[in-house]
Amino acid sequence: MAVEGYIRFGLAIVILMMIAIILYRFNAGKSNRRQSSLEIMKERYEKGEITKEAYEKARKKQGK
């Protein structure tokens, strides 16, 4: 009986570690891809997709 308890405990630890690693990788990948709306507007302005007025309006709206 004691051996069975150690096996369950070990399996529980392994499963918890795997869940923690999966959550960490999921959150780390997500945070690297985020851009602020102002950065997106700046890229669109540089590509010529929006006018300077639209970019300036967005910048003023953000307070920058």
Side-chain angles (χ1 to χ4, degrees):
M1 290 273 191
V3 175
E4 184 179 328
Y6 287 122
I7 291 173
R8 285 185 182 184
F9 181 72
L11 286 174
I13 297 242
V14 168
I15 290 171
L16 289 174
M17 288 176 60
M18 288 173 57
I19 291 171
I21 290 170
I22 289 169
L23 289 174
Y24 174 76
R25 287 188 179 192
F26 180 74
N27 287 333
K30 223 175 168 182
S31 65
N32 291 339
R33 297 181 201 151
R34 290 189 179 165
Q35 284 184 320
S36 73
S37 59
L38 191 58
E39 290 172 338
I40 294 169
M41 292 295 284
K42 184 177 180 181
E43 287 178 8
R44 291 184 66 199
Y45 171 63
E46 290 172 351
K47 291 179 184 178
E49 295 176 359
I50 61 171
T51 63
K52 183 173 183 170
E53 291 80 23
Y55 172 69
E56 292 295 328
K57 184 178 177 183
R59 207 176 93 205
K60 286 179 185 176
K61 193 173 186 179
Q62 293 241 337
K64 296 181 180 183

